[in-house]
mmCIF file with all atom_site columns, all heavy atoms in Angstrom:
data_model
loop_
_atom_site.group_PDB
_atom_site.id
_atom_site.type_symbol
_atom_site.label_atom_id
_atom_site.label_alt_id
_atom_site.label_comp_id
_atom_site.label_asym_id
_atom_site.label_entity_id
_atom_site.label_seq_id
_atom_site.pdbx_PDB_ins_code
_atom_site.Cartn_x
_atom_site.Cartn_y
_atom_site.Cartn_z
_atom_site.occupancy
_atom_site.B_iso_or_equiv
_atom_site.pdbx_formal_charge
_atom_site.auth_seq_id
_atom_site.auth_comp_id
_atom_site.auth_asym_id
_atom_site.auth_atom_id
_atom_site.pdbx_PDB_model_num
ATOM   1   N N   . GLU A 1 41  ? 29.727 21.090 -41.132 1.00 96.00 ? 41  GLU A N   1
ATOM   2   C CA  . GLU A 1 41  ? 28.992 22.201 -41.755 1.00 96.00 ? 41  GLU A CA  1
ATOM   3   C C   . GLU A 1 41  ? 29.960 23.278 -42.236 1.00 96.00 ? 41  GLU A C   1
ATOM   4   O O   . GLU A 1 41  ? 29.790 23.828 -43.332 1.00 96.00 ? 41  GLU A O   1
ATOM   5   C CB  . GLU A 1 41  ? 27.984 22.802 -40.768 1.00 96.00 ? 41  GLU A CB  1
ATOM   6   C CG  . GLU A 1 41  ? 26.827 21.886 -40.410 1.00 96.00 ? 41  GLU A CG  1
ATOM   7   C CD  . GLU A 1 41  ? 25.907 21.579 -41.588 1.00 96.00 ? 41  GLU A CD  1
ATOM   8   O OE1 . GLU A 1 41  ? 25.895 22.351 -42.571 1.00 96.00 ? 41  GLU A OE1 1
ATOM   9   O OE2 . GLU A 1 41  ? 25.214 20.540 -41.544 1.00 96.00 ? 41  GLU A OE2 1
ATOM   10  N N   . LEU A 1 42  ? 30.970 23.570 -41.412 1.00 98.00 ? 42  LEU A N   1
ATOM   11  C CA  . LEU A 1 42  ? 31.906 24.642 -41.786 1.00 98.00 ? 42  LEU A CA  1
ATOM   12  C C   . LEU A 1 42  ? 32.750 24.228 -42.997 1.00 98.00 ? 42  LEU A C   1
ATOM   13  O O   . LEU A 1 42  ? 32.972 25.019 -43.917 1.00 98.00 ? 42  LEU A O   1
ATOM   14  C CB  . LEU A 1 42  ? 32.819 24.998 -40.602 1.00 98.00 ? 42  LEU A CB  1
ATOM   15  C CG  . LEU A 1 42  ? 32.090 25.547 -39.358 1.00 98.00 ? 42  LEU A CG  1
ATOM   16  C CD1 . LEU A 1 42  ? 33.074 25.853 -38.238 1.00 98.00 ? 42  LEU A CD1 1
ATOM   17  C CD2 . LEU A 1 42  ? 31.286 26.806 -39.707 1.00 98.00 ? 42  LEU A CD2 1
ATOM   18  N N   . ASN A 1 45  ? 30.686 24.464 -46.096 1.00 96.00 ? 45  ASN A N   1
ATOM   19  C CA  . ASN A 1 45  ? 30.556 25.864 -46.540 1.00 96.00 ? 45  ASN A CA  1
ATOM   20  C C   . ASN A 1 45  ? 31.806 26.294 -47.303 1.00 96.00 ? 45  ASN A C   1
ATOM   21  O O   . ASN A 1 45  ? 31.719 26.988 -48.316 1.00 96.00 ? 45  ASN A O   1
ATOM   22  C CB  . ASN A 1 45  ? 30.360 26.790 -45.334 1.00 96.00 ? 45  ASN A CB  1
ATOM   23  C CG  . ASN A 1 45  ? 28.902 26.835 -44.891 1.00 96.00 ? 45  ASN A CG  1
ATOM   24  O OD1 . ASN A 1 45  ? 28.019 26.387 -45.610 1.00 96.00 ? 45  ASN A OD1 1
ATOM   25  N ND2 . ASN A 1 45  ? 28.666 27.368 -43.706 1.00 96.00 ? 45  ASN A ND2 1
ATOM   26  N N   . SER A 1 46  ? 32.982 25.894 -46.809 1.00 97.00 ? 46  SER A N   1
ATOM   27  C CA  . SER A 1 46  ? 34.232 26.277 -47.482 1.00 97.00 ? 46  SER A CA  1
ATOM   28  C C   . SER A 1 46  ? 34.281 25.672 -48.882 1.00 97.00 ? 46  SER A C   1
ATOM   29  O O   . SER A 1 46  ? 34.697 26.322 -49.837 1.00 97.00 ? 46  SER A O   1
ATOM   30  C CB  . SER A 1 46  ? 35.435 25.783 -46.676 1.00 97.00 ? 46  SER A CB  1
ATOM   31  O OG  . SER A 1 46  ? 35.431 26.367 -45.401 1.00 97.00 ? 46  SER A OG  1
ATOM   32  N N   . ASP A 1 48  ? 31.702 24.804 -50.731 1.00 95.00 ? 48  ASP A N   1
ATOM   33  C CA  . ASP A 1 48  ? 30.727 25.541 -51.551 1.00 95.00 ? 48  ASP A CA  1
ATOM   34  C C   . ASP A 1 48  ? 31.282 26.900 -51.976 1.00 95.00 ? 48  ASP A C   1
ATOM   35  O O   . ASP A 1 48  ? 30.880 27.443 -53.010 1.00 95.00 ? 48  ASP A O   1
ATOM   36  C CB  . ASP A 1 48  ? 29.417 25.758 -50.773 1.00 95.00 ? 48  ASP A CB  1
ATOM   37  C CG  . ASP A 1 48  ? 28.562 24.494 -50.705 1.00 95.00 ? 48  ASP A CG  1
ATOM   38  O OD1 . ASP A 1 48  ? 28.833 23.554 -51.476 1.00 95.00 ? 48  ASP A OD1 1
ATOM   39  O OD2 . ASP A 1 48  ? 27.622 24.453 -49.886 1.00 95.00 ? 48  ASP A OD2 1
ATOM   40  N N   . ALA A 1 49  ? 32.197 27.469 -51.160 1.00 96.00 ? 49  ALA A N   1
ATOM   41  C CA  . ALA A 1 49  ? 32.769 28.784 -51.496 1.00 96.00 ? 49  ALA A CA  1
ATOM   42  C C   . ALA A 1 49  ? 33.975 28.630 -52.420 1.00 96.00 ? 49  ALA A C   1
ATOM   43  O O   . ALA A 1 49  ? 34.768 29.566 -52.574 1.00 96.00 ? 49  ALA A O   1
ATOM   44  C CB  . ALA A 1 49  ? 33.158 29.530 -50.218 1.00 96.00 ? 49  ALA A CB  1
ATOM   45  N N   . ASP A 1 70  ? 39.649 28.864 -44.791 1.00 98.00 ? 70  ASP A N   1
ATOM   46  C CA  . ASP A 1 70  ? 39.647 28.476 -46.210 1.00 98.00 ? 70  ASP A CA  1
ATOM   47  C C   . ASP A 1 70  ? 40.148 29.602 -47.100 1.00 98.00 ? 70  ASP A C   1
ATOM   48  O O   . ASP A 1 70  ? 40.310 30.733 -46.652 1.00 98.00 ? 70  ASP A O   1
ATOM   49  C CB  . ASP A 1 70  ? 38.248 28.002 -46.629 1.00 98.00 ? 70  ASP A CB  1
ATOM   50  C CG  . ASP A 1 70  ? 37.212 29.127 -46.704 1.00 98.00 ? 70  ASP A CG  1
ATOM   51  O OD1 . ASP A 1 70  ? 37.503 30.188 -47.291 1.00 98.00 ? 70  ASP A OD1 1
ATOM   52  O OD2 . ASP A 1 70  ? 36.094 28.921 -46.182 1.00 98.00 ? 70  ASP A OD2 1
ATOM   53  N N   . TYR A 1 73  ? 35.841 32.125 -51.790 1.00 96.00 ? 73  TYR A N   1
ATOM   54  C CA  . TYR A 1 73  ? 35.460 33.459 -52.281 1.00 96.00 ? 73  TYR A CA  1
ATOM   55  C C   . TYR A 1 73  ? 35.330 34.513 -51.187 1.00 96.00 ? 73  TYR A C   1
ATOM   56  O O   . TYR A 1 73  ? 35.391 35.699 -51.451 1.00 96.00 ? 73  TYR A O   1
ATOM   57  C CB  . TYR A 1 73  ? 34.102 33.391 -53.010 1.00 96.00 ? 73  TYR A CB  1
ATOM   58  C CG  . TYR A 1 73  ? 34.057 32.378 -54.110 1.00 96.00 ? 73  TYR A CG  1
ATOM   59  C CD1 . TYR A 1 73  ? 32.939 31.576 -54.277 1.00 96.00 ? 73  TYR A CD1 1
ATOM   60  C CD2 . TYR A 1 73  ? 35.137 32.228 -54.983 1.00 96.00 ? 73  TYR A CD2 1
ATOM   61  C CE1 . TYR A 1 73  ? 32.891 30.631 -55.301 1.00 96.00 ? 73  TYR A CE1 1
ATOM   62  C CE2 . TYR A 1 73  ? 35.088 31.276 -55.997 1.00 96.00 ? 73  TYR A CE2 1
ATOM   63  C CZ  . TYR A 1 73  ? 33.969 30.479 -56.146 1.00 96.00 ? 73  TYR A CZ  1
ATOM   64  O OH  . TYR A 1 73  ? 33.923 29.555 -57.137 1.00 96.00 ? 73  TYR A OH  1
ATOM   65  N N   . GLY A 1 74  ? 35.065 34.116 -49.966 1.00 97.00 ? 74  GLY A N   1
ATOM   66  C CA  . GLY A 1 74  ? 34.858 35.095 -48.903 1.00 97.00 ? 74  GLY A CA  1
ATOM   67  C C   . GLY A 1 74  ? 33.505 35.778 -49.018 1.00 97.00 ? 74  GLY A C   1
ATOM   68  O O   . GLY A 1 74  ? 32.689 35.445 -49.881 1.00 97.00 ? 74  GLY A O   1
ATOM   69  N N   . MET A 1 75  ? 33.274 36.751 -48.136 1.00 97.00 ? 75  MET A N   1
ATOM   70  C CA  . MET A 1 75  ? 31.977 37.464 -48.123 1.00 97.00 ? 75  MET A CA  1
ATOM   71  C C   . MET A 1 75  ? 32.198 38.952 -47.905 1.00 97.00 ? 75  MET A C   1
ATOM   72  O O   . MET A 1 75  ? 33.156 39.353 -47.225 1.00 97.00 ? 75  MET A O   1
ATOM   73  C CB  . MET A 1 75  ? 31.115 36.950 -46.956 1.00 97.00 ? 75  MET A CB  1
ATOM   74  C CG  . MET A 1 75  ? 30.386 35.667 -47.219 1.00 97.00 ? 75  MET A CG  1
ATOM   75  S SD  . MET A 1 75  ? 29.502 35.107 -45.737 1.00 97.00 ? 75  MET A SD  1
ATOM   76  C CE  . MET A 1 75  ? 30.759 34.128 -44.937 1.00 97.00 ? 75  MET A CE  1
ATOM   77  N N   . SER A 1 83  ? 24.649 36.258 -43.273 1.00 95.00 ? 83  SER A N   1
ATOM   78  C CA  . SER A 1 83  ? 24.873 34.803 -43.205 1.00 95.00 ? 83  SER A CA  1
ATOM   79  C C   . SER A 1 83  ? 24.482 34.238 -41.846 1.00 95.00 ? 83  SER A C   1
ATOM   80  O O   . SER A 1 83  ? 24.271 33.040 -41.708 1.00 95.00 ? 83  SER A O   1
ATOM   81  C CB  . SER A 1 83  ? 26.338 34.473 -43.505 1.00 95.00 ? 83  SER A CB  1
ATOM   82  O OG  . SER A 1 83  ? 27.150 34.845 -42.413 1.00 95.00 ? 83  SER A OG  1
ATOM   83  N N   . ALA A 1 88  ? 18.964 32.376 -44.374 1.00 83.00 ? 88  ALA A N   1
ATOM   84  C CA  . ALA A 1 88  ? 19.689 33.260 -45.296 1.00 83.00 ? 88  ALA A CA  1
ATOM   85  C C   . ALA A 1 88  ? 20.723 32.411 -46.018 1.00 83.00 ? 88  ALA A C   1
ATOM   86  O O   . ALA A 1 88  ? 21.581 31.806 -45.377 1.00 83.00 ? 88  ALA A O   1
ATOM   87  C CB  . ALA A 1 88  ? 20.372 34.380 -44.519 1.00 83.00 ? 88  ALA A CB  1
ATOM   88  N N   . THR A 1 89  ? 20.616 32.337 -47.326 1.00 88.00 ? 89  THR A N   1
ATOM   89  C CA  . THR A 1 89  ? 21.548 31.509 -48.098 1.00 88.00 ? 89  THR A CA  1
ATOM   90  C C   . THR A 1 89  ? 21.815 32.135 -49.460 1.00 88.00 ? 89  THR A C   1
ATOM   91  O O   . THR A 1 89  ? 20.956 32.848 -49.994 1.00 88.00 ? 89  THR A O   1
ATOM   92  C CB  . THR A 1 89  ? 20.990 30.072 -48.291 1.00 88.00 ? 89  THR A CB  1
ATOM   93  O OG1 . THR A 1 89  ? 21.927 29.312 -49.033 1.00 88.00 ? 89  THR A OG1 1
ATOM   94  C CG2 . THR A 1 89  ? 19.656 30.060 -49.031 1.00 88.00 ? 89  THR A CG2 1
ATOM   95  N N   . SER A 1 90  ? 22.993 31.874 -50.001 1.00 85.00 ? 90  SER A N   1
ATOM   96  C CA  . SER A 1 90  ? 23.288 32.338 -51.354 1.00 85.00 ? 90  SER A CA  1
ATOM   97  C C   . SER A 1 90  ? 23.132 31.183 -52.347 1.00 85.00 ? 90  SER A C   1
ATOM   98  O O   . SER A 1 90  ? 23.411 31.324 -53.521 1.00 85.00 ? 90  SER A O   1
ATOM   99  C CB  . SER A 1 90  ? 24.729 32.847 -51.393 1.00 85.00 ? 90  SER A CB  1
ATOM   100 O OG  . SER A 1 90  ? 25.606 31.794 -51.014 1.00 85.00 ? 90  SER A OG  1
ATOM   101 N N   . LYS A 1 91  ? 22.697 30.002 -51.849 1.00 84.00 ? 91  LYS A N   1
ATOM   102 C CA  . LYS A 1 91  ? 22.837 28.798 -52.683 1.00 84.00 ? 91  LYS A CA  1
ATOM   103 C C   . LYS A 1 91  ? 21.598 28.402 -53.474 1.00 84.00 ? 91  LYS A C   1
ATOM   104 O O   . LYS A 1 91  ? 21.714 27.731 -54.488 1.00 84.00 ? 91  LYS A O   1
ATOM   105 C CB  . LYS A 1 91  ? 23.329 27.640 -51.809 1.00 84.00 ? 91  LYS A CB  1
ATOM   106 C CG  . LYS A 1 91  ? 24.709 27.985 -51.239 1.00 84.00 ? 91  LYS A CG  1
ATOM   107 C CD  . LYS A 1 91  ? 25.240 27.038 -50.225 1.00 84.00 ? 91  LYS A CD  1
ATOM   108 C CE  . LYS A 1 91  ? 26.442 27.674 -49.543 1.00 84.00 ? 91  LYS A CE  1
ATOM   109 N NZ  . LYS A 1 91  ? 26.973 26.876 -48.448 1.00 84.00 ? 91  LYS A NZ  1
ATOM   110 N N   . HIS A 1 104 ? 26.571 21.849 -51.283 1.00 87.00 ? 104 HIS A N   1
ATOM   111 C CA  . HIS A 1 104 ? 26.371 21.096 -50.037 1.00 87.00 ? 104 HIS A CA  1
ATOM   112 C C   . HIS A 1 104 ? 25.248 21.714 -49.219 1.00 87.00 ? 104 HIS A C   1
ATOM   113 O O   . HIS A 1 104 ? 24.384 21.044 -48.707 1.00 87.00 ? 104 HIS A O   1
ATOM   114 C CB  . HIS A 1 104 ? 27.671 21.101 -49.229 1.00 87.00 ? 104 HIS A CB  1
ATOM   115 C CG  . HIS A 1 104 ? 28.699 20.195 -49.804 1.00 87.00 ? 104 HIS A CG  1
ATOM   116 N ND1 . HIS A 1 104 ? 28.598 18.833 -49.734 1.00 87.00 ? 104 HIS A ND1 1
ATOM   117 C CD2 . HIS A 1 104 ? 29.840 20.452 -50.472 1.00 87.00 ? 104 HIS A CD2 1
ATOM   118 C CE1 . HIS A 1 104 ? 29.629 18.285 -50.336 1.00 87.00 ? 104 HIS A CE1 1
ATOM   119 N NE2 . HIS A 1 104 ? 30.402 19.248 -50.794 1.00 87.00 ? 104 HIS A NE2 1
ATOM   120 N N   . GLY A 1 105 ? 25.306 23.055 -49.076 1.00 84.00 ? 105 GLY A N   1
ATOM   121 C CA  . GLY A 1 105 ? 24.306 23.724 -48.248 1.00 84.00 ? 105 GLY A CA  1
ATOM   122 C C   . GLY A 1 105 ? 23.130 24.190 -49.087 1.00 84.00 ? 105 GLY A C   1
ATOM   123 O O   . GLY A 1 105 ? 23.215 24.285 -50.312 1.00 84.00 ? 105 GLY A O   1
ATOM   124 N N   . PHE A 1 106 ? 22.006 24.447 -48.442 1.00 83.00 ? 106 PHE A N   1
ATOM   125 C CA  . PHE A 1 106 ? 20.859 25.061 -49.110 1.00 83.00 ? 106 PHE A CA  1
ATOM   126 C C   . PHE A 1 106 ? 19.830 25.534 -48.094 1.00 83.00 ? 106 PHE A C   1
ATOM   127 O O   . PHE A 1 106 ? 18.931 26.270 -48.401 1.00 83.00 ? 106 PHE A O   1
ATOM   128 C CB  . PHE A 1 106 ? 20.205 24.097 -50.107 1.00 83.00 ? 106 PHE A CB  1
ATOM   129 C CG  . PHE A 1 106 ? 19.770 22.795 -49.478 1.00 83.00 ? 106 PHE A CG  1
ATOM   130 C CD1 . PHE A 1 106 ? 18.498 22.663 -48.934 1.00 83.00 ? 106 PHE A CD1 1
ATOM   131 C CD2 . PHE A 1 106 ? 20.632 21.720 -49.427 1.00 83.00 ? 106 PHE A CD2 1
ATOM   132 C CE1 . PHE A 1 106 ? 18.104 21.471 -48.349 1.00 83.00 ? 106 PHE A CE1 1
ATOM   133 C CE2 . PHE A 1 106 ? 20.240 20.517 -48.842 1.00 83.00 ? 106 PHE A CE2 1
ATOM   134 C CZ  . PHE A 1 106 ? 18.978 20.386 -48.301 1.00 83.00 ? 106 PHE A CZ  1
ATOM   135 N N   . ARG A 1 107 ? 19.994 25.136 -46.830 1.00 84.00 ? 107 ARG A N   1
ATOM   136 C CA  . ARG A 1 107 ? 18.959 25.432 -45.842 1.00 84.00 ? 107 ARG A CA  1
ATOM   137 C C   . ARG A 1 107 ? 19.130 26.792 -45.179 1.00 84.00 ? 107 ARG A C   1
ATOM   138 O O   . ARG A 1 107 ? 18.195 27.295 -44.558 1.00 84.00 ? 107 ARG A O   1
ATOM   139 C CB  . ARG A 1 107 ? 18.956 24.355 -44.760 1.00 84.00 ? 107 ARG A CB  1
ATOM   140 C CG  . ARG A 1 107 ? 18.718 22.967 -45.302 1.00 84.00 ? 107 ARG A CG  1
ATOM   141 C CD  . ARG A 1 107 ? 19.039 21.908 -44.267 1.00 84.00 ? 107 ARG A CD  1
ATOM   142 N NE  . ARG A 1 107 ? 18.134 21.964 -43.152 1.00 84.00 ? 107 ARG A NE  1
ATOM   143 C CZ  . ARG A 1 107 ? 17.119 21.113 -42.969 1.00 84.00 ? 107 ARG A CZ  1
ATOM   144 N NH1 . ARG A 1 107 ? 16.920 20.160 -43.830 1.00 84.00 ? 107 ARG A NH1 1
ATOM   145 N NH2 . ARG A 1 107 ? 16.345 21.222 -41.930 1.00 84.00 ? 107 ARG A NH2 1
ATOM   146 N N   . GLY A 1 108 ? 20.336 27.359 -45.272 1.00 86.00 ? 108 GLY A N   1
ATOM   147 C CA  . GLY A 1 108 ? 20.586 28.647 -44.615 1.00 86.00 ? 108 GLY A CA  1
ATOM   148 C C   . GLY A 1 108 ? 20.435 28.566 -43.112 1.00 86.00 ? 108 GLY A C   1
ATOM   149 O O   . GLY A 1 108 ? 19.915 29.479 -42.467 1.00 86.00 ? 108 GLY A O   1
ATOM   150 N N   . GLU A 1 109 ? 20.902 27.468 -42.541 1.00 89.00 ? 109 GLU A N   1
ATOM   151 C CA  . GLU A 1 109 ? 20.679 27.254 -41.114 1.00 89.00 ? 109 GLU A CA  1
ATOM   152 C C   . GLU A 1 109 ? 21.949 27.027 -40.318 1.00 89.00 ? 109 GLU A C   1
ATOM   153 O O   . GLU A 1 109 ? 21.960 27.242 -39.105 1.00 89.00 ? 109 GLU A O   1
ATOM   154 C CB  . GLU A 1 109 ? 19.828 25.987 -40.930 1.00 89.00 ? 109 GLU A CB  1
ATOM   155 C CG  . GLU A 1 109 ? 18.363 26.219 -40.894 1.00 89.00 ? 109 GLU A CG  1
ATOM   156 C CD  . GLU A 1 109 ? 17.617 24.929 -40.599 1.00 89.00 ? 109 GLU A CD  1
ATOM   157 O OE1 . GLU A 1 109 ? 18.143 23.837 -40.918 1.00 89.00 ? 109 GLU A OE1 1
ATOM   158 O OE2 . GLU A 1 109 ? 16.530 25.024 -40.055 1.00 89.00 ? 109 GLU A OE2 1
ATOM   159 N N   . ALA A 1 110 ? 22.998 26.562 -41.001 1.00 93.00 ? 110 ALA A N   1
ATOM   160 C CA  . ALA A 1 110 ? 24.146 26.072 -40.233 1.00 93.00 ? 110 ALA A CA  1
ATOM   161 C C   . ALA A 1 110 ? 24.801 27.171 -39.396 1.00 93.00 ? 110 ALA A C   1
ATOM   162 O O   . ALA A 1 110 ? 24.980 27.012 -38.187 1.00 93.00 ? 110 ALA A O   1
ATOM   163 C CB  . ALA A 1 110 ? 25.155 25.425 -41.175 1.00 93.00 ? 110 ALA A CB  1
ATOM   164 N N   . LEU A 1 111 ? 25.160 28.299 -40.039 1.00 95.00 ? 111 LEU A N   1
ATOM   165 C CA  . LEU A 1 111 ? 25.879 29.324 -39.280 1.00 95.00 ? 111 LEU A CA  1
ATOM   166 C C   . LEU A 1 111 ? 25.043 29.879 -38.119 1.00 95.00 ? 111 LEU A C   1
ATOM   167 O O   . LEU A 1 111 ? 25.541 29.935 -36.987 1.00 95.00 ? 111 LEU A O   1
ATOM   168 C CB  . LEU A 1 111 ? 26.374 30.444 -40.206 1.00 95.00 ? 111 LEU A CB  1
ATOM   169 C CG  . LEU A 1 111 ? 27.490 30.053 -41.195 1.00 95.00 ? 111 LEU A CG  1
ATOM   170 C CD1 . LEU A 1 111 ? 28.093 31.304 -41.851 1.00 95.00 ? 111 LEU A CD1 1
ATOM   171 C CD2 . LEU A 1 111 ? 28.593 29.250 -40.530 1.00 95.00 ? 111 LEU A CD2 1
ATOM   172 N N   . PRO A 1 112 ? 23.797 30.313 -38.356 1.00 93.00 ? 112 PRO A N   1
ATOM   173 C CA  . PRO A 1 112 ? 23.041 30.808 -37.200 1.00 93.00 ? 112 PRO A CA  1
ATOM   174 C C   . PRO A 1 112 ? 22.862 29.758 -36.106 1.00 93.00 ? 112 PRO A C   1
ATOM   175 O O   . PRO A 1 112 ? 22.877 30.089 -34.923 1.00 93.00 ? 112 PRO A O   1
ATOM   176 C CB  . PRO A 1 112 ? 21.684 31.227 -37.792 1.00 93.00 ? 112 PRO A CB  1
ATOM   177 C CG  . PRO A 1 112 ? 21.653 30.719 -39.178 1.00 93.00 ? 112 PRO A CG  1
ATOM   178 C CD  . PRO A 1 112 ? 23.049 30.483 -39.615 1.00 93.00 ? 112 PRO A CD  1
ATOM   179 N N   . THR A 1 152 ? 37.826 32.790 -45.867 1.00 98.00 ? 152 THR A N   1
ATOM   180 C CA  . THR A 1 152 ? 37.074 32.965 -44.625 1.00 98.00 ? 152 THR A CA  1
ATOM   181 C C   . THR A 1 152 ? 37.690 32.113 -43.526 1.00 98.00 ? 152 THR A C   1
ATOM   182 O O   . THR A 1 152 ? 38.128 30.996 -43.780 1.00 98.00 ? 152 THR A O   1
ATOM   183 C CB  . THR A 1 152 ? 35.607 32.510 -44.854 1.00 98.00 ? 152 THR A CB  1
ATOM   184 O OG1 . THR A 1 152 ? 35.074 33.266 -45.943 1.00 98.00 ? 152 THR A OG1 1
ATOM   185 C CG2 . THR A 1 152 ? 34.742 32.711 -43.629 1.00 98.00 ? 152 THR A CG2 1
ATOM   186 N N   . ILE A 1 154 ? 36.619 30.793 -39.685 1.00 98.00 ? 154 ILE A N   1
ATOM   187 C CA  . ILE A 1 154 ? 35.574 30.762 -38.663 1.00 98.00 ? 154 ILE A CA  1
ATOM   188 C C   . ILE A 1 154 ? 36.089 30.006 -37.450 1.00 98.00 ? 154 ILE A C   1
ATOM   189 O O   . ILE A 1 154 ? 36.703 28.939 -37.583 1.00 98.00 ? 154 ILE A O   1
ATOM   190 C CB  . ILE A 1 154 ? 34.287 30.099 -39.219 1.00 98.00 ? 154 ILE A CB  1
ATOM   191 C CG1 . ILE A 1 154 ? 33.669 31.018 -40.275 1.00 98.00 ? 154 ILE A CG1 1
ATOM   192 C CG2 . ILE A 1 154 ? 33.281 29.834 -38.100 1.00 98.00 ? 154 ILE A CG2 1
ATOM   193 C CD1 . ILE A 1 154 ? 32.426 30.501 -40.942 1.00 98.00 ? 154 ILE A CD1 1
ATOM   194 N N   . LYS A 1 311 ? 21.806 16.442 -43.411 1.00 78.00 ? 311 LYS A N   1
ATOM   195 C CA  . LYS A 1 311 ? 22.034 16.008 -44.786 1.00 78.00 ? 311 LYS A CA  1
ATOM   196 C C   . LYS A 1 311 ? 22.861 14.721 -44.866 1.00 78.00 ? 311 LYS A C   1
ATOM   197 O O   . LYS A 1 311 ? 23.669 14.532 -45.752 1.00 78.00 ? 311 LYS A O   1
ATOM   198 C CB  . LYS A 1 311 ? 22.737 17.113 -45.595 1.00 78.00 ? 311 LYS A CB  1
ATOM   199 C CG  . LYS A 1 311 ? 22.058 18.459 -45.466 1.00 78.00 ? 311 LYS A CG  1
ATOM   200 C CD  . LYS A 1 311 ? 22.827 19.510 -46.253 1.00 78.00 ? 311 LYS A CD  1
ATOM   201 C CE  . LYS A 1 311 ? 22.482 20.901 -45.825 1.00 78.00 ? 311 LYS A CE  1
ATOM   202 N NZ  . LYS A 1 311 ? 23.374 21.428 -44.792 1.00 78.00 ? 311 LYS A NZ  1
HETATM 203 N N1  . ATP B 2 .   ? 33.339 29.760 -45.708 1.00 61.81 ? 701 ATP B N1  1
HETATM 204 C C1  . ATP B 2 .   ? 32.464 30.536 -46.380 1.00 61.81 ? 701 ATP B C1  1
HETATM 205 N N2  . ATP B 2 .   ? 32.875 31.256 -47.446 1.00 61.81 ? 701 ATP B N2  1
HETATM 206 C C2  . ATP B 2 .   ? 32.008 32.031 -48.119 1.00 61.81 ? 701 ATP B C2  1
HETATM 207 N N3  . ATP B 2 .   ? 30.701 32.152 -47.821 1.00 61.81 ? 701 ATP B N3  1
HETATM 208 C C3  . ATP B 2 .   ? 30.224 31.431 -46.783 1.00 61.81 ? 701 ATP B C3  1
HETATM 209 C C4  . ATP B 2 .   ? 31.076 30.591 -46.001 1.00 61.81 ? 701 ATP B C4  1
HETATM 210 N N4  . ATP B 2 .   ? 30.327 30.038 -45.032 1.00 61.81 ? 701 ATP B N4  1
HETATM 211 C C5  . ATP B 2 .   ? 29.070 30.487 -45.198 1.00 61.81 ? 701 ATP B C5  1
HETATM 212 N N5  . ATP B 2 .   ? 28.998 31.327 -46.248 1.00 61.81 ? 701 ATP B N5  1
HETATM 213 C C6  . ATP B 2 .   ? 27.787 32.025 -46.724 1.00 61.81 ? 701 ATP B C6  1
HETATM 214 O O1  . ATP B 2 .   ? 26.896 32.050 -45.675 1.00 61.81 ? 701 ATP B O1  1
HETATM 215 C C7  . ATP B 2 .   ? 25.642 31.516 -46.058 1.00 61.81 ? 701 ATP B C7  1
HETATM 216 C C8  . ATP B 2 .   ? 25.016 30.837 -44.863 1.00 61.81 ? 701 ATP B C8  1
HETATM 217 O O2  . ATP B 2 .   ? 25.750 29.670 -44.519 1.00 61.81 ? 701 ATP B O2  1
HETATM 218 P P1  . ATP B 2 .   ? 25.001 28.447 -43.842 1.00 61.81 ? 701 ATP B P1  1
HETATM 219 O O3  . ATP B 2 .   ? 25.905 27.329 -43.714 1.00 61.81 ? 701 ATP B O3  1
HETATM 220 O O4  . ATP B 2 .   ? 24.330 28.972 -42.619 1.00 61.81 ? 701 ATP B O4  1
HETATM 221 O O5  . ATP B 2 .   ? 23.840 28.127 -44.886 1.00 61.81 ? 701 ATP B O5  1
HETATM 222 P P2  . ATP B 2 .   ? 23.947 27.326 -46.261 1.00 61.81 ? 701 ATP B P2  1
HETATM 223 O O6  . ATP B 2 .   ? 25.277 26.781 -46.457 1.00 61.81 ? 701 ATP B O6  1
HETATM 224 O O7  . ATP B 2 .   ? 23.438 28.230 -47.315 1.00 61.81 ? 701 ATP B O7  1
HETATM 225 O O8  . ATP B 2 .   ? 22.894 26.185 -45.994 1.00 61.81 ? 701 ATP B O8  1
HETATM 226 P P3  . ATP B 2 .   ? 23.001 25.004 -44.914 1.00 61.81 ? 701 ATP B P3  1
HETATM 227 O O9  . ATP B 2 .   ? 22.338 25.461 -43.675 1.00 61.81 ? 701 ATP B O9  1
HETATM 228 O O10 . ATP B 2 .   ? 22.261 23.917 -45.577 1.00 61.81 ? 701 ATP B O10 1
HETATM 229 O O11 . ATP B 2 .   ? 24.436 24.747 -44.705 1.00 61.81 ? 701 ATP B O11 1
HETATM 230 C C9  . ATP B 2 .   ? 25.955 30.593 -47.201 1.00 61.81 ? 701 ATP B C9  1
HETATM 231 O O12 . ATP B 2 .   ? 24.842 30.440 -48.059 1.00 61.81 ? 701 ATP B O12 1
HETATM 232 C C10 . ATP B 2 .   ? 27.118 31.307 -47.877 1.00 61.81 ? 701 ATP B C10 1
HETATM 233 O O13 . ATP B 2 .   ? 26.653 32.297 -48.771 1.00 61.81 ? 701 ATP B O13 1
#
Side-chain angles (χ1 to χ4, degrees):
E41 292 294 339
L42 298 179
N45 277 347
S46 299
D48 284 345
D70 71 47
Y73 306 138
M75 279 176 271
S83 73
T89 180
S90 59
K91 298 172 193 175
H104 286 288
F106 56 90
R107 301 167 66 103
E109 269 185 333
L111 292 192
T152 303
I154 291 178
K311 310 178 198 93

